[in-house]
Every structure is written in structure tokens, then in C-alpha cells.
């Protein structure tokens, strides 16, 4: 439940230093793919539902105006989307003004929308006017409780110190969360506790607590029939939804994007979020209905069946695993041999591939983005690096463990080293090398699911969507095939091992 | 044929101290001594498998160098205790590894293998087995065949019968002696068994702590021991009837 909240939290905590490095690197590497004229317009989204719905909206809007467009859902967090936009990997994505000023352009003092426009312009990025809703922190109560007590605004709470407050732990801790709000609004409730957000909703329903924190477009607002208290102090920062797009898009594409300015109210966004998250309708369907209702646009929505999806994810996944593993084998075996033959690089080389393995896989994926952008390529690069260690190490140890007398016999025959390597050492190390490849392959199949985080597709895609929608069947749609594939890979190598040792 | 001149070698301690040894063509010299006396190290240095710290090795008047080591190795056959057969190859593939590298034609290989089968008393059908399917005695015979494939003038053997059971060893010793004499090979045999050394060797070189302390025929050594160690070594052989 409520994974969006967690995602937003993570995003906001990203510090400025890596962000700047990212900006720099991507700026240097950017501008390469400037000229793509009649290629499809590419939209990206973050990993939470609202972003995906906004992505569907803009994609379908562009398509309905006769231009090809594709959507890369759940591409990643703010930095990934922003850099993808700068690099021209995507042309448009939904963002929030607060995120732009606080995170993307952190450090620059921006007072007005006009200033924001001009700063973005220096990056070659343009921004729509606000779409009509503000997705910021908010304070919520059950509608009936609030109505009963006549509470409409946050300052109204001053007169009701007897209410119980249940805030998410993050909100309790953040200085711009409860500590600041308490001071600014002069609130002194008797009962405030920090708890898990899901429990907060349940407590609200049971009547144990009456006041909670939320995001102002959370679908639960509709589901639990909550009243969002008006921020009459203007305490919470503005998170107006907008679209960011690259300068130089066709005029009619820009029109298709700007059509949403002021067109989506908060309650409409809440309803769409609820339709996806609570009623389990498809993102595309929900977006299509909004377009029809609001603009009278008929957009074609193609709902892929389970088997089609499974096939697509399998192909994507095998592509990631196959290429990265193949390359790893091609490079790792010579590296392992080198580690045996060249004494001076043995320790540094084994150390280096060992260190690669200790880099968390998620981090390694993200490191690849400034170098290779988004999509399958950076994922393959990361998986490649990740697959090296077991193969290098097993090649090295497989050759090293060949009995001394055997090596002596080979040398005593008067054969040159390269011949001995090819005909004696490598064949004798095959079982060990194969075991290394097996380990790499199994790890690779699992790790490749993370590739979906940077738009590489594969079995991670349904898992990611499943987490976003809190849908176990969707998570299993990725997890089960990934597990089966890992077992198949393992079985395949077991068979080869058996066949070789015959 | 083989001439070792003032070889020294030190690992943690000195294993060879200024060793010189000449082996005339067609003769068999048995190198004997207790474990750790340096006899195997000397053999490896002659084969060019390890480098001496000082001194020279001459094979057929040629000094062993990094440049000619491969070709000189091909003029010497080498047999070790455990056979050193490659477990991933069949016996036949073990034999043809080096001839294959040298580009011998199939006919020539087959002919040579048949000759050697006869010589070493191996059934050609045994050659299709992997080494782990061979008995210890068969493995050593095939190891000897491998050493003889290129018909080298020199054979070096490092305790070739050390792990063979007594009956088979007896038979193999007899066959080895016959083969060496028939082929007029120059042989250096490392062993720790005085009986074997005497039976196979025209001469015996007795080593202790990195030096050769006596070289001569078995009669010289038994009747004229150079020092008390040689005497002890000679007397340390047990006769089966000793305690009866």
C-alpha cells in the first residue's frame, strides 16, 4: 500500500551533489540525439501510479492528434527522468513544480513560474502551465468527522486538541513535516503518534485516530471518503503537476501536451488514481476515459493479454540475460587466464572484479545511466559487469587447481604455453568454468529483473507495476517466470555438466 | 650425452650444492638417495622445468637455454611417478598430443603407436580408455609410450614405479631394462630403491643433502662406500629372509 509515498520520500531525500554530477555528465553526453524528426514522441513516467496515468494521458493525446508516440512506464525516479529528458531519450514527462525547484534545480533561488521557465530554458527544457492540481502533503480527516466538528482548514484544528493524530514516520521526522507544521499552525494536540501509513488508514476507519497526513491526490482520499483540510497557512510547498518537454518538439505535439494545462482538477486526479489503484482498472483505460470525457477524444486503447505480455517480457528478459552473459563469458575467461599467467595483475584483477560484485546491483544500474542512457543497453552493461566475477574467479581457480605433476608432464612434452593452455589447462578447467558460468547466469536472471527500473523491460516490468498497484498477481506475473527461468538455466547447465563429465 | 656442470639451487634452503654429473650416451644412471636429497630437483633442472641458480646443463653438447628449451625437451622423454597422463584425454590422445602439435600425419602416428604397443606390451584396444580406466601398471606403460613417441635419445624417469604394487613392479622393471638396452637410450632414473637402482642402472649416483657423494657401479658402492652414510644406506635394505 501507498508505495507512492515511499517513492516520493526517496526522491526528495536525494542530495544535491550526485544530482549535479548527473547533470554535468548527462549534459556532456547529451545533445547527441538532437535531430529525430518523424520518430515517435517518447514519454516517460516515474514509478508511481499518478505519474503513469499522466504519462498515458499525454501519450494518448499525442497519438490522437495523428503523431506516433510511445510510453516508457516506470522508468525511474526524478534524476533518471530528468537526465533522460536532457539526453533526448524521452521527449516529455510529468513532473511537479516543487520537485523541480527543490530537487532538480536545488540551490537556485526561484520565486516565480516565469523564473522557473527561464532557468529550464537554459537546459533546453520547456514546461507547461500547471495542469490544475497540487500533489503536496496534506492533512486529512474522515469527511463525516470533519463535517460534524466543522473543521475545514488546518488552523481549524487548533480548537480541537482532543483529536488523535496518526502520522507516517517520515512525516513525523521531517522538519518540514509535523515539527514545522505544529509550530506554524500553533497546534498542541494531546495524542500524536507515528505509525505505518497503512495502519493510519485502518486506525482512521476504526475511529482510533482522526487526523492523518497524506498526499493530496492519494486514491485513498476517495476510497475512505476523506476531507483534505485546506492549507490556509500555505505551509506545505507547492507541488503543481506540469509536463516537462524538450524544446524543439513539433508545434502540434506541443499543443497535444499543453491541452492539459488547467484541465485536471485535484478531485479528478484522485478519482483516476483510485480507478487504477483501488478499482484495478488499467492505466491506459482510465486515461482514455478522461480524454473522452474531458476533450471528447477517442483514443484507441490496446490491452495486451496475459500471454502476449508474458512473451514480450520473456523475450526482453532473455535478451538482457543472453547478451550480458555472452559478453561476460567472452571477456571473463581470458581475464581469468590472464590472472593465472601474469603474476603482477593476479591480485589487482581479482580484487577489481570482486569489488564490482560488492556494488549493490541497483546502484550499478544507476551508474550506467550517465554513460549509456536508459533502456536495455545500460542494463546489459551493468549485468555484464555483474556476471564477470564468478566466471573470472572460477577460470582462475580451475586452472590453478590443476595438479602440479600434470602441468609438469605437459611442459615436459616440449609443447608451447599457448598450446598447453588450449589443450590441457582450459579443458581441465572446464567443469570449474562451467560452474562459474552457471552461477553468473542464475544471478543474472534474478538481477535482470531490476533492469525494468531503467526502462530495460523484462520480468521486472510486471513486478514493478505490481508493486505500484499493490497487486500480488502482477508481481507473480514477473516473479514466477523469473524463478522458473533461473531454475531452467540451472538445469540446463547441470545437464551440460553431466554431459561433459561423462 | 647429458652433462650437468656445477648446478646450485636454493629455495628456502639450498637443495642442490654445486652438483656435476655426466651421463654417457646409451648408459643408464640411477640417481638414488633419501627423500629431499635434491634428486628430483636435479631431474627437473635437466628437463628445463625449473631454472638453476647457477651452473649449466648440456644436452647433446648444447647448453639448455630459454630459446632451445622446447626443442630440447622434445629430445627427452619424461616419466613421473603418477604417470602424469591427462585425465580428460584417452590414452591414445595422450600419445598423440605432441605429434598432433608437430603435425604428424595419421598414418605415421598409428605406425609409431603400434610399434610402441608391441615394445611396451600394451594392447592397442587399451588406448581408447581414459587414464582413470587403466591400472597403475598400464598407466605407467602408456606414460612411457608417450615419452617415447618422438623417439628421443634421452629418457628421464622420476620414481616411475614408486606407486606400483610389487608383482607388477617386478615385471615392469624387467621390461624397462629390456627396452632401454634394446633402444640404446641414455637414461637417468630417479629412485629410492637400491635394488631397482642396481638392476636398471649401469651406474649409481648416490645423493645426500644436495650433493652427489658417490658415483659408481653397485659393486663399487657396496665394497667401497665413500662414507658411513653410504654404508648405512646400503645396509638399510631389508632382505625378506632377514628375520626368519
Amino acid at each position: 500500500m501507498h508505495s507512492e509515498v515511499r517513492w516520493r520520500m526517496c526522491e526528495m531525500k536525494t542530495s544535491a551533489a550526485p544530482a549535479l554530477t548527473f547533470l554535468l555528465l548527462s549534459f556532456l553526453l547529451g545533445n547527441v540525439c538532437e535531430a529525430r524528426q518523424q520518430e515517435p514522441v517518447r514519454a516517460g513516467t516515474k514509478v508511481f501510479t499518478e505519474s503513469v496515468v499522466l504519462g498515458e494521458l499525454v501519450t494518448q493525446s499525442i497519438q490522437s492528434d495523428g503523431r506516433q508516440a510511445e510510453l516508457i512506464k516506470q522508468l525511474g525516479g526524478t534524476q533518471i527522468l530528468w537526465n533522460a529528458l536532457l539526453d533526448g531519450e524521452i521527449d516529455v514527462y510529468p513532473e511537479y513544480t516543487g520537485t523541480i525547484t527543490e530537487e532538480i534545480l536545488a540551490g537556485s533561488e526561484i520565486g516565480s513560474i516565469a523564473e522557473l521557465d527561464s532557468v529550464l530554458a537554459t537546459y533546453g527544457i520547456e514546461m507547461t502551465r500547471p495542469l490544475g492540481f497540487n500533489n503536496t502533503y496534506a492533512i486529512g480527516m474522515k469527511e463525516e468527522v470533519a463535517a460534524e466538528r466543522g473543521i475545514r482548514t488546518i488552523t481549524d484544528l487548533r480548537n480541537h486538541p482532543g483529536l488523535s493524530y496518526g502520522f507516517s514516520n517520515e512525516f513525523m521526522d521531517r522538519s518540514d513535516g509535523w515539527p514545522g507544521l505544529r509550530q506554524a499552525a500553533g497546534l498542541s494536540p494531546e495524542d500524536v503518534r507515528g505509525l505505518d501509513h497503512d495502519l493510519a488508514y485502518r486506525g482512521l476507519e476504526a475511529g482510533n485516530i482522526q487526523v492523518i497526513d497524506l498526499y493530496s491526490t492519494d486514491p485513498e482520499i476517495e476510497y475512505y471518503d476523506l476531507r483534505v483540510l485546506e492549507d490556509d497557512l500555505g505551509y506545505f510547498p507547492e507541488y503543481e503537476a506540469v509536463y516537462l518537454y524538450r524544446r524543439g518538439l513539433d508545434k502540434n505535439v506541443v499543443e497535444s501536451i499543453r491541452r492539459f494545462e488547467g484541465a485536471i482538477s485535484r478531485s479528478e486526479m484522485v478519482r483516476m488514481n483510485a480507478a487504477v489503484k483501488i478499482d484495478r482498472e488499467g492505466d491506459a483505460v482510465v486515461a482514455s476515459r478522461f480524454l473522452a470525457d474531458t476533450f471528447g477524444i477517442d483514443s484507441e486503447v490496446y490491452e495486451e493479454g496475459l500471454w502476449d505480455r508474458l512473451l514480450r517480457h520473456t523475450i526482453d528478459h532473455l535478451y538482457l540475460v543472453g547478451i550480458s552473459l555472452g559478453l561476460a563469458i567472452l571477456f571473463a575467461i581470458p581475464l581469468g587466464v590472464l590472472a593465472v599467467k601474469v603474476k603482477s595483475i593476479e591480485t589487482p584483477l581479482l580484487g577489481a572484479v570482486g569489488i564490482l560484485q560488492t556494488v549493490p546491483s541497483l546502484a550499478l544500474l544507476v551508474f550506467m545511466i550517465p554513460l549509456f542512457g536508459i533502456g536495455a543497453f545500460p542494463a546489459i552493461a551493468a549485468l555484464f559487469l555483474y556476471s564477470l566475477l564468478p566466471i573470472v574467479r572460477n577460470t582462475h581457480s580451475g586452472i590453478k587447481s590443476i595438479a602440479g605433476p600434470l602441468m609438469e608432464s605437459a611442459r615436459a612434452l616440449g609443447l608451447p604455453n599457448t598450446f598447453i593452455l588450449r589443450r590441457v589447462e582450459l579443458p581441465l578447467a572446464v567443469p570449474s568454468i562451467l560452474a562459474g558460468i552457471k552461477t553468473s547466469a542464475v544471478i543474472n536472471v534474478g538481477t535482470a529483473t531490476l533492469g525494468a527500473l531503467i526502462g530495460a523491460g523484462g520480468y521486472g516490468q510486471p513486478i514493478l507495476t505490481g508493486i505500484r498497484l499493490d497487486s500480488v498477481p502482477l508481481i507473480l506475473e514477473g516473479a514466477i517466470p523469473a524463478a522458473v527461468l533461473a531454475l531452467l538455466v540451472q538445469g540446463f547447465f547441470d545437464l551440460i555438466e553431466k554431459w561433459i563429465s561423462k | 650425452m647429458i652433462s650437468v656442470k656445477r648446478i646450485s639451487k636454493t629455495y628456502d634452503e639450498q637443495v642442490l650444492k654445486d652438483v656435476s654429473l655426466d651421463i654417457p650416451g646409451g648408459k643408464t644412471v640411477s640417481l638414488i638417495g633419501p627423500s629431499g636429497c635434491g634428486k628430483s630437483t636435479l631431474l627437473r633442472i635437466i628437463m628445463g622445468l625449473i631454472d638453476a641458480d647457477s651452473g649449466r646443463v648440456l644436452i647433446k653438447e648444447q647448453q639448455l637455454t630459454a630459446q632451445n628449451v622446447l626443442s630440447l625437451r622434445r629430445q627427452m622423454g619424461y616419466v613421473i611417478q603418477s604417470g602424469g597422463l591427462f585425465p580428460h584425454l584417452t590414452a591414445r590422445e595422450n600419445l598423440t598430443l605432441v605429434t598432433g602439435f608437430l603435425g604428424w600425419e595419421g598414418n605415421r602416428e598409428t605406425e609409431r603407436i603400434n610399434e610402441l604397443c608391441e615394445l611396451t606390451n600394451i594392447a592397442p584396444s587399451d588406448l581408447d580408455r581414459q587414464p582413470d580406466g587403466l591400472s597403475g601398471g598400464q598407466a605407467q606403460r602408456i606414460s612411457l609410450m608417450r615419452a617415447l613417441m618422438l623417439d628421443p635419445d634421452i629418457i628421464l624417469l622420476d620414481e616411475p614405479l614408486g606407486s606400483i604394487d610389487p608383482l607388477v613392479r617386478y615385471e615392469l622393471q624387467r621390461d624397462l631394462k629390456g627396452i632401454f638396452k634394446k633402444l640404446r637410450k641414455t637414461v637417468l632414473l630417479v629412485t629410492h630403491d637400491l635394488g631397482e637402482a642396481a638392476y636398471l642402472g649401469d651406474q649409481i649416483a648416490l645423493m645426500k643433502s644436495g650433493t652427489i657423494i658417490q658415483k659408481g657401479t653397485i659393486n663399487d658402492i657396496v665394497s667401497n662406500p665413500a662414507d658411513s652414510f653410504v654404508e648405512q644406506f646400503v645396509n638399510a635394505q631389508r632382505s625378506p629372509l632377514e628375520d626368519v
Side-chain angles (χ1 to χ4, degrees):
Chain A
M1 269 280 185
H2 227 76
S3 48
E4 295 154 317
V5 172
R6 271 177 237 127
W7 269 102
R8 282 282 295 274
M9 288 299 174
C10 304
E11 286 179 303
M12 288 173 183
K13 278 179 189 161
T14 320
S15 72
L20 282 177
T21 322
F22 260 99
L23 284 180
L24 257 171
L25 277 169
S26 48
F27 202 71
L28 290 172
L29 291 160
N31 307 339
V32 177
C33 338
E34 217 42 71
R36 48 164 74 148
Q37 278 304 310
Q38 272 317 107
E39 280 182 45
V41 178
R42 305 207 327 166
T45 84
K46 299 193 192 180
V47 291
F48 51 90
T49 294
E50 185 168 295
S51 188
V52 175
V53 171
L54 290 172
E56 282 287 356
L57 282 172
V58 78
T59 308
Q60 291 180 25
S61 167
I62 295 168
Q63 285 167 341
S64 71
D65 291 335
R67 180 67 189 267
Q68 281 210 333
E70 57 186 42
L71 179 64
I72 309 168
K73 292 185 194 183
Q74 299 158 161
L75 186 52
T78 302
Q79 291 305 332
I80 291 178
L81 268 300
W82 171 248
N83 283 298
L85 187 67
L86 289 181
D87 293 349
E89 305 254 11
I90 55 174
D91 300 304
V92 54
Y93 84 93
E95 190 50 281
Y96 301 89
T97 53
T99 308
I100 301 171
T101 53
E102 300 303 314
E103 196 181 343
I104 298 177
L105 306 173
S108 44
E109 293 288 328
I110 294 166
S112 67
I113 295 268
E115 278 182 70
L116 186 51
D117 277 334
S118 63
V119 176
L120 286 173
T122 63
Y123 293 96
I125 302 300
E126 300 192 6
M127 183 180 86
T128 63
R129 298 309 95 206
L131 306 184
F133 67 92
N134 179 16
N135 182 3
T136 183
Y137 267 126
I139 301 299
M141 300 178 66
K142 289 288 284 185
E143 173 63 34
E144 55 186 67
V145 178
E148 196 179 297
R149 307 206 178 205
I151 301 173
R152 206 177 48 78
T153 67
I154 290 178
T155 43
D156 286 346
L157 286 171
R158 282 183 200 150
N159 308 323
H160 302 275
L163 294 172
S164 296
Y165 291 37
F167 289 142
S168 62
N169 293 313
E170 299 94 331
F171 188 72
M172 288 289 278
D173 291 342
R174 289 172 66 106
S175 58
D176 58 347
W178 170 240
L181 178 66
R182 172 190 202 123
Q183 218 166 16
L187 300 177
S188 48
E190 286 156 17
D191 180 16
V192 182
R193 59 192 109 155
L195 40 72
D196 183 84
H197 213 78
D198 291 336
L199 293 179
Y201 284 116
R202 262 172 245 158
L204 205 61
E205 197 70 344
N208 299 332
I209 51 179
Q210 286 85 39
V211 181
I212 65 167
D213 64 304
L214 39 75
Y215 281 116
S216 53
T217 57
D218 278 353
E220 287 81 359
I221 292 170
E222 171 149 308
Y223 185 73
Y224 289 104
D225 192 16
L226 305 184
R227 173 179 291 189
V228 176
L229 302 188
E230 190 190 314
D231 182 9
D232 51 346
L233 298 166
Y235 174 75
F236 293 118
E238 297 263 305
Y239 279 83
E240 290 285 348
V242 294
Y243 286 111
L244 294 180
Y245 57 94
R246 300 194 312 115
R247 186 167 49 211
L249 290 182
D250 288 355
K251 220 169 125 205
N252 53 343
V253 171
V254 172
E255 273 166 25
S256 310
I257 297 171
R258 302 195 75 140
R259 140 185 304 149
F260 295 100
E261 292 177 349
I264 310 172
S265 70
R266 191 184 65 79
S267 60
E268 277 167 323
M269 194 65 240
V270 171
R271 236 190 322 278
M272 285 193 277
N273 285 338
V276 174
K277 280 210 77 170
I278 294 166
D279 302 334
R280 305 256 173 239
E281 293 190 68
D283 313 300
V285 176
V286 171
S288 165
R289 195 167 53 225
F290 178 87
L291 285 173
D293 292 350
T294 312
F295 303 111
I297 293 173
D298 264 339
S299 55
E300 269 178 53
V301 178
Y302 168 63
E303 284 283 279
E304 214 179 2
L306 171 66
W307 295 109
D308 288 341
R309 279 201 309 270
L310 200 58
L311 181 66
R312 180 165 55 87
H313 295 143
T314 303
I315 291 170
D316 286 353
H317 207 86
L318 286 176
Y319 179 74
L320 294 179
V321 171
I323 295 194
S324 61
L325 186 67
L327 285 174
I329 293 170
L330 232 52
F331 278 81
I333 294 178
L335 283 178
V337 170
L338 217 58
V340 179
K341 298 296 171 192
V342 188
K343 270 276 168 301
S344 57
I345 66 160
E346 181 173 9
T347 314
L349 183 66
L350 293 178
V353 289
I355 287 169
L356 270 182
Q357 199 78 358
T358 65
V359 178
S361 36
L362 196 54
L364 197 60
L365 273 175
V366 173
F367 287 151
M368 292 299 134
I369 295 172
L371 300 174
F372 302 120
I374 54 166
F377 195 52
I380 287 171
L383 290 172
F384 162 76
L385 291 176
Y386 230 55
S387 302
L388 286 177
L389 176 70
I391 308 177
V392 171
R393 200 174 42 197
N394 276 33
T395 304
H396 172 261
S397 68
I399 294 177
K400 275 246 160 166
S401 67
I402 296 172
L406 220 48
M407 285 305 298
E408 227 163 51
S409 294
R411 293 174 60 213
L413 287 175
L415 297 169
N417 289 335
T418 48
F419 189 84
I420 295 175
L421 178 67
R422 210 153 43 81
R423 298 294 300 275
V424 178
E425 290 173 286
L426 283 176
L428 284 173
V430 158
S432 174
I433 296 172
L434 210 56
I437 294 175
K438 178 166 75 176
T439 307
S440 276
V442 172
I443 292 176
N444 196 320
V445 168
T447 312
T449 54
L450 293 175
L453 286 170
I454 57 171
Y459 292 137
Q461 199 66 51
I463 296 179
L464 216 53
T465 311
I467 293 171
R468 168 165 72 82
L469 299 178
D470 201 8
S471 157
V472 174
L474 260 180
I475 293 175
L476 292 181
E477 193 181 312
I480 291 176
V484 170
L485 183 60
L487 288 173
L488 282 177
V489 164
Q490 169 114 29
F492 171 70
F493 281 105
D494 285 346
L495 273 181
I496 296 187
E497 276 172 1
K498 221 179 242 169
W499 178 71
I500 275 181
S501 66
K502 254 202 305 198
Chain B
M1 186 64 83
I2 301 175
S3 188
V4 172
K5 296 197 187 300
R6 310 200 60 180
I7 290 284
S8 292
K9 178 73 186 175
T10 302
Y11 289 114
D12 290 335
E13 47 189 277
Q14 199 169 13
V15 286
L16 291 176
K17 298 171 191 160
D18 206 14
V19 173
S20 295
L21 178 68
D22 277 298
I23 303 169
K27 297 289 179 197
T28 297
V29 172
S30 297
L31 197 54
I32 191 166
S35 300
C37 68
K39 54 192 194 297
S40 288
T41 305
L42 184 59
L43 204 68
R44 287 194 182 89
I45 287 174
I46 295 171
M47 199 71 211
L49 295 173
I50 48 183
D51 294 328
D53 297 338
S54 60
R56 297 183 298 149
V57 175
L58 298 173
I59 308 289
K60 302 203 230 172
E61 331 276 81
Q62 278 183 74
Q63 183 167 341
L64 186 68
T65 63
Q67 284 71 42
N68 65 13
V69 66
L70 289 187
S71 78
L72 284 182
R73 276 181 194 156
R74 292 200 284 267
Q75 299 173 43
M76 295 186 274
Y78 186 63
V79 179
I80 58 175
Q81 178 170 354
S82 52
L85 294 177
F86 306 117
H88 62 297
L89 302 176
T90 62
R92 187 182 304 277
E93 288 165 339
N94 265 280
L95 298 181
T96 56
L97 194 66
V98 68
T99 51
F101 167 72
L102 294 174
W104 282 28
E105 278 172 25
N107 287 344
R108 191 172 168 206
E109 273 176 351
T110 316
E111 219 167 280
R112 180 66 182 152
I113 288 172
N114 289 340
E115 276 171 32
L116 291 174
C117 275
E118 207 168 310
L119 185 73
T120 56
N121 217 354
I122 277 284
S125 60
D126 288 339
L127 295 182
D128 295 322
R129 293 196 223 158
Q130 306 275 139
D132 60 6
L134 299 167
S135 73
Q138 284 173 321
Q140 285 312 79
R141 286 175 193 273
I142 286 163
S143 190
L144 180 67
M145 282 173 76
R146 189 174 67 182
L148 291 170
M149 265 312 269
L150 301 180
D151 199 16
D153 295 322
I154 296 168
I155 312 270
L156 306 179
L157 304 98
D158 191 357
E159 311 229 13
L161 310 178
S163 54
I164 303 291
D165 70 71
L167 284 177
V168 178
R169 182 162 63 211
Y170 184 81
E171 205 177 286
L172 268 168
Q173 284 167 344
R174 195 192 56 208
D175 289 0
L176 276 179
K177 184 163 181 160
I179 290 168
F180 294 161
K181 288 304 149 200
K182 184 173 170 193
L183 301 180
R184 299 177 192 283
K185 298 296 181 195
T186 306
V187 179
L188 181 59
L189 168 83
V190 165
T191 177
H192 57 250
D193 174 353
L194 187 62
E196 184 172 287
Y199 177 69
L200 290 173
D202 300 308
Q203 283 199 308
I204 293 175
L206 208 153
M207 281 187 81
K208 179 196 165 199
S209 313
T211 51
I212 293 175
I213 48 179
Q214 189 168 5
K215 187 184 168 208
T217 62
I218 183 70
N219 286 333
D220 292 341
I221 287 175
V222 171
S223 55
N224 243 330
D227 63 9
S228 59
F229 172 79
V230 178
E231 203 173 342
Q232 271 176 5
F233 195 87
V234 169
N235 292 330
Q237 308 293 318
R238 203 177 292 286
S239 148
L241 298 175
E242 199 171 74
D243 286 335
V244 176

